[in-house]
Amino acid sequence: MALPDLDTSVGHSFGLEVDGVAIKQINEVSGLKLEQDVIELKQNTADGKYIIKKLPGRPKAGEVTLTRGLTGDNSFEKWVKDAHFGKMGNARKGGAIIVYDYEGTAIKRYKLTNAWPKSLEIGSLKAGDTSVLTEKLVVTYEMMEIE
């Protein structure tokens, strides 16, 4: 069901699927971006005026950062190991970031093609600190489609 007129989605209702499997406990998704090159066409008109036209170019690949609290789940580490050791057949995966409405119905899917982990960063370890320890996974993808 679509959102009613003048309503918008809230930023806390989202999910992540990788190869059809839901990844749980994601706190934050950042860097989700659809971009393409711009081609400048410089030319003169019939009356001799110089103009610049901007044309759409090739789509650009992108990166998205996934953050979650550090848990016993080692799915991120397994995925990183596959990419690190060159097992790209296993590392390249399809995935989607899904935005939900207030009733839990999916309203947007940002589908990622040939996504694989570029880096995994563990949050700071500090004596006496009481904050949640996090892990950030940077995933690069070849193409993003909005469904």
Side-chain angles (χ1 to χ4, degrees):
M1 175 178 139
L3 290 170
D5 287 345
L6 304 176
D7 272 357
T8 61
S9 180
V10 291
H12 64 77
S13 299
F14 63 91
L16 170 68
E17 285 180 2
V18 177
D19 278 350
V21 177
I23 306 294
K24 298 177 182 173
Q25 301 172 333
I26 300 294
N27 298 13
E28 182 180 342
V29 175
S30 61
L32 199 56
K33 185 170 153 179
L34 186 61
E35 188 176 13
Q36 69 186 59
D37 288 328
V38 176
I39 300 167
E40 284 191 0
L41 176 63
K42 299 173 185 176
Q43 59 187 5
N44 287 335
T45 62
D47 59 352
K49 291 183 182 172
Y50 175 74
I51 61 169
I52 298 174
K53 282 190 169 185
K54 296 203 175 203
L55 305 170
R58 289 182 283 204
K60 290 185 178 182
E63 291 182 353
V64 63
T65 302
L66 310 169
T67 306
R68 71 176 182 180
L70 188 66
T71 66
D73 179 16
N74 63 357
S75 57
F76 279 4
E77 291 89 354
K78 285 181 184 176
W79 197 14
V80 169
K81 280 182 185 176
D82 284 342
H84 184 74
F85 291 114
K87 298 179 183 174
M88 296 312 288
N90 294 337
R92 281 194 178 95
K93 298 187 182 290
I97 294 157
I98 306 136
V99 178
Y100 298 101
D101 67 7
Y102 55 91
E103 294 177 335
T105 305
I107 57 172
K108 287 268 189 195
R109 293 178 64 88
Y110 300 93
K111 184 179 168 190
L112 308 178
T113 303
N114 287 332
W116 56 273
K118 173 183 160 184
S119 67
L120 179 63
E121 177 185 342
I122 308 304
S124 299
L125 301 169
K126 191 180 341 178
D129 192 8
T130 59
S131 61
V132 174
L133 188 59
T134 61
E135 56 183 351
K136 287 186 180 185
L137 183 69
V138 178
V139 175
T140 184
Y141 54 89
E142 294 175 7
M143 186 172 69
M144 181 174 73
E145 296 175 75
I146 302 172
E147 297 179 338

